[in-house]
Amino acid sequence: MTAAAATKLGNLPEWNLGDLYASPEAPEFAADLKRGEDLSRAFAEKYRGKLAALSGAELAGALKEYEALSDLLGRTGSYAQLHFVGDTTDSKRGKFYGDVSAKLTDISTLLLFFELELNRIEDAALEKAMEVPALAHYRPWIDNLRKEKPYQLDDKIEELFLEKSQTSAAAFNRLFDETMAGLRFEVDGETLTLEPTLNLMQSPDEAKRKAGAEALARTFGDNLKLFTLITNTLAKDKDISDRWRGFKDIADARHLSNRVEPEVVAALVESVRNNYPKLSHRYYRMKAKWLGKDHLMHWDRNAPLPQEDTREVPWSEAKDMVLSAYGSFAPEMADIARAFFDRNWIDAPSRPGKAPGAFAHPTVPSAHPYVLLNYLGKTRDVMTLAHELGHGVHQVLAAQQGPLMAATPLTLAETASVFGEMLTFQALLNQTADPVKRKVLLASKAEDMINTVVRQIAFYSFERRVHTARKEGELTPEQIGAIWLEVQAESLGDGIRLGEGYETFWTYVPHFIHSPFYVYAYAFGDCLVNSLYARYRESEQGFREKYFEMLKAGGTKHHSELLRPFGLDATDPGFWDKGLSVISGMIDELEAM
């Protein structure tokens, strides 16, 4: 069944999850969950305690079975999550999601031994076994797994960690999601959910921007104790896990899962922070002048420029803009993206109870990705569509690597999404001859890049300070708010004044809850794409082929290996400055205008 919501922006598609299961009550869903449990139990009985004695061919067979289980169980988990985010305030959906998550955790405990036991095989013996081509196929996954070895615990402790996650991190993640979806914001007598309230801060009317910001601050303030408790609990939970596993730095676990060296991230962060004055400080001072102000208030940060086209972009136009931009780069890219529209793989409208923000969920290779949006017709929403479809295209192309090797580390997972945005922006710019409109487009892109690079590194700095301070004891709302204001003031500069209530705005950022220290991946991706796009402009010859090969690689290659064909190296200290110089160059151009 396909569906669409009729709105003033046109018929906004609602996703069709029938490609996974027809409904939570579908007999196929219950059958797959039962089959997954039975096969997992049989797998454990067949292989537990026996991996070291297996031949290379037998080990390859075990991995093939394990991979098939990953796809089967991943399908049920993906459906439960996607069904839930459609309305996180629906208690029936919440119970279904909770019950399925608990069942999958129970099943996962049956399979937990496999990766732990595989990592206990001696290096020389495993290397010898990988002379068998069928096992060598899995080398990238095995090599990544071996990197986890120093941080793995005894089987029983790992089992306890996994089971307890249901009542610790996972429970507080769900509490955050359900609370955030249930929040309501009173603006001029109207009751709004989060997304439309945030959207007011992009209004050309300053009174509306201010009213939106004040409504956000009021409701966040009313719920501040709860969000503080969630943050304290999750930071402590992570600290306990890190301590048991032996991670030295608060972000080491994230770097490991991203397959990126800590020193590379440190160089990125240092480069961005050193460039704050040339980027965000300079831009916001300039924007204040454009808006006829001495300085901006925090609700003015995303305000449109006086000459900006603030009309709402109909869905059909947004679709055409993105597909046209993708098609100009590579018809294959547009063909993959078009399937998301034609087959209802997108859930676009903003609805009460629906999860805020946007994401692309890869589900499993035997199915296809889904995209969630909260489309409200702003130009930024068009760019978000381009961004999430970039993820979707990447996920479709990487699926050929199979369930174990399709997933891309977060640092490179943002490459295709940001590249999709860049293609859409450049297409719009090329179609715009009017100098005033070009200025507005350039300013909008510079602002988006600042939001992607400067803001996300500020978020990362905020997280580092919160998690570091939490080691010394619980943090009060005032302490967290003070850290937030200090970090934001440093990153935004004197062009923006942070008014009363802004100290609560850390509460709604879901990445802090779901994926600690994820946010630097956006800056990594943006700077990387700036360098990639520069290479594309220098020489289109062979670029598309190399780009598609990079996306198809999924999680089978390290970032250094993926970037080498483009002559790029993220370990080069000057690499990040090159990416940031693209943003600085745009601001130079705006100043000259």
Side-chain angles (χ1 to χ4, degrees), residues 391-588:
H391 279 307
V393 168
H394 194 173
Q395 290 160 355
V396 167
L397 290 170
Q400 66 188 40
Q401 298 296 344
L404 297 182
M405 297 186 290
T408 308
L410 295 182
T411 40
L412 288 161
E414 292 301 333
T415 304
S417 52
V418 179
F419 195 80
E421 276 189 82
M422 180 65 90
L423 290 173
T424 306
F425 163 72
Q426 291 291 346
L428 281 171
L429 192 66
N430 291 340
Q431 294 164 15
T432 307
D434 181 273
V436 173
K437 289 182 178 177
R438 282 183 69 84
K439 174 186 171 181
V440 168
L441 268 176
L442 271 175
S444 176
K445 183 59 179 172
E447 202 163 291
D448 284 346
M449 286 173 144
I450 287 168
N451 281 335
T452 304
V453 176
V454 170
R455 185 166 167 80
Q456 302 304 325
I457 292 301
F459 281 180
Y460 178 70
S461 301
F462 168 74
E463 284 188 281
R464 288 198 65 90
R465 288 187 56 182
V466 167
H467 282 257
T468 301
R470 180 64 181 91
K471 287 176 178 289
E472 305 304 316
E474 281 211 10
L475 300 174
T476 65
E478 292 75 22
Q479 285 174 300
I480 300 176
I483 294 171
W484 174 256
L485 289 177
E486 286 170 23
V487 167
Q488 292 299 311
E490 179 201 16
S491 67
L492 297 172
D494 58 8
I496 294 186
R497 190 164 292 174
L498 305 176
E500 187 179 346
Y502 189 69
E503 71 278 359
T504 66
F505 275 47
W506 57 271
T507 56
Y508 78 93
V509 181
H511 304 76
F512 299 157
I513 305 301
H514 299 311
S515 313
F517 306 108
Y518 174 106
V519 288
Y520 73 74
Y522 289 113
F524 194 110
D526 201 88
C527 290
L528 173 54
V529 165
N530 287 342
S531 298
L532 267 180
Y533 195 80
R535 284 282 188 269
Y536 170 55
R537 295 294 285 265
E538 287 165 15
S539 174
E540 296 185 17
Q541 186 70 34
F543 181 92
R544 291 173 188 80
E545 291 75 12
K546 287 187 280 190
Y547 180 74
F548 274 96
E549 286 305 308
M550 178 175 72
L551 300 190
K552 288 174 184 174
T556 63
K557 294 179 180 177
H558 186 259
H559 65 77
S560 58
E561 201 178 344
L562 288 169
L563 296 179
R564 196 173 297 125
F566 302 97
L568 300 173
D569 179 7
T571 62
D572 175 2
F575 175 78
W576 303 113
D577 287 330
K578 287 175 193 167
L580 294 171
S581 69
V582 173
I583 311 174
S584 185
M586 279 188 178
I587 299 171
D588 290 343

Side-chain angles (χ1 to χ4, degrees), residues 104 259 351:
L104 288 173
R259 304 297 179 242
R351 298 185 300 269

Side-chain angles (χ1 to χ4, degrees), residues 73-197:
L73 296 170
R75 177 181 282 262
T76 60
S78 296
Y79 177 77
Q81 184 184 354
L82 293 174
H83 179 67
F84 174 63
V85 298
D87 184 358
T88 61
T89 59
D90 179 349
S91 56
K92 193 176 176 184
R93 291 188 189 218
K95 173 178 166 48
F96 173 70
Y97 177 55
D99 288 350
V100 172
S101 298
K103 187 66 177 174
L104 288 173
T105 301
D106 291 344
I107 295 171
S108 296
T109 60
L110 296 170
L111 301 171
L112 188 62
F113 80 93
F114 185 70
E115 295 184 15
L116 298 170
E117 198 173 313
L118 191 59
N119 259 349
R120 285 198 283 268
I121 297 175
E122 293 295 328
D123 289 347
L126 193 56
E127 198 59 45
K128 177 71 177 168
M130 280 198 281
E131 290 176 5
V132 176
L135 185 60
H137 165 74
Y138 293 102
R139 178 183 283 279
W141 182 82
I142 292 170
D143 287 348
N144 278 335
L145 183 65
R146 301 298 270 189
K147 291 185 175 77
E148 309 267 354
K149 187 176 179 178
Y151 308 103
Q152 289 178 332
L153 305 170
D154 293 339
D155 289 23
K156 279 294 178 187
I157 299 175
E158 288 286 2
E159 194 173 323
L160 177 64
F161 267 45
L162 180 60
E163 289 201 31
K164 288 287 285 180
S165 69
Q166 298 174 76
T167 53
S168 53
F172 280 89
N173 271 257
R174 183 174 161 192
L175 175 61
F176 173 85
D177 289 344
E178 293 188 7
T179 302
M180 194 54 70
L183 294 184
R184 295 297 178 264
F185 305 86
E186 297 293 328
V187 186
D188 297 333
E190 193 178 357
T191 303
L192 302 174
T193 56
L194 177 63
E195 287 293 337
T197 312

Side-chain angles (χ1 to χ4, degrees), residues 187-386:
V187 186
D188 297 333
E190 193 178 357
T191 303
L192 302 174
T193 56
L194 177 63
E195 287 293 337
T197 312
L198 288 169
N199 193 49
L200 287 173
M201 293 204 293
Q202 296 179 48
S203 169
D205 182 346
E206 183 175 2
K208 285 186 179 178
R209 296 197 299 271
K210 184 180 180 185
E214 289 174 344
L216 290 166
R218 272 195 306 275
T219 300
F220 292 157
D222 290 343
N223 293 272
L224 199 52
K225 284 183 71 174
L226 176 59
F227 289 125
T228 301
L229 173 64
I230 292 171
T231 299
N232 271 305
T233 302
L234 289 174
K236 184 63 177 177
D237 184 73
K238 185 180 183 305
D239 181 47
I240 293 168
S241 176
D242 285 353
R243 188 159 32 85
W244 273 79
R245 294 189 181 284
F247 288 112
K248 301 300 181 209
D249 183 77
I250 49 179
D252 276 352
R254 173 63 62 201
H255 302 331
L256 178 66
S257 69
N258 277 347
R259 304 297 179 242
V260 65
E261 301 75 14
E263 55 272 19
V264 171
V265 179
L268 164 66
V269 173
E270 183 182 11
S271 185
V272 173
R273 290 183 69 182
N274 288 342
N275 276 279
Y276 282 170
K278 282 203 304 188
L279 302 176
S280 46
H281 296 189
R282 185 162 61 122
Y283 176 78
Y284 289 124
R285 280 196 294 266
M286 189 162 56
K287 182 170 182 176
K289 288 179 185 172
W290 292 337
L291 294 178
K293 295 168 167 280
D294 293 329
H295 60 265
L296 302 172
M297 291 302 296
H298 65 264
W299 53 76
D300 298 322
R301 184 172 59 82
N302 287 327
L305 297 184
Q307 304 93 340
E308 192 167 327
D309 180 4
T310 56
R311 73 184 179 91
E312 292 177 333
V313 181
W315 177 253
S316 58
E317 190 177 328
K319 170 186 171 181
D320 291 344
M321 285 162 69
V322 175
L323 290 181
S324 172
Y326 277 26
S328 295
F329 172 71
E332 181 187 352
M333 195 169 169
D335 290 342
I336 295 170
R338 189 173 288 107
F340 284 78
F341 295 97
D342 294 347
R343 300 178 189 175
N344 279 63
W345 297 351
I346 302 175
D347 196 81
S350 181
R351 298 185 300 269
K354 179 177 171 179
F359 64 73
H361 193 307
T363 73
V364 288
S366 64
H368 56 77
Y370 283 94
V371 164
L372 178 139
L373 304 169
N374 279 272
Y375 188 82
L376 296 166
K378 300 290 186 188
T379 303
R380 275 196 175 87
D381 293 332
V382 179
M383 291 300 166
T384 300
L385 173 62

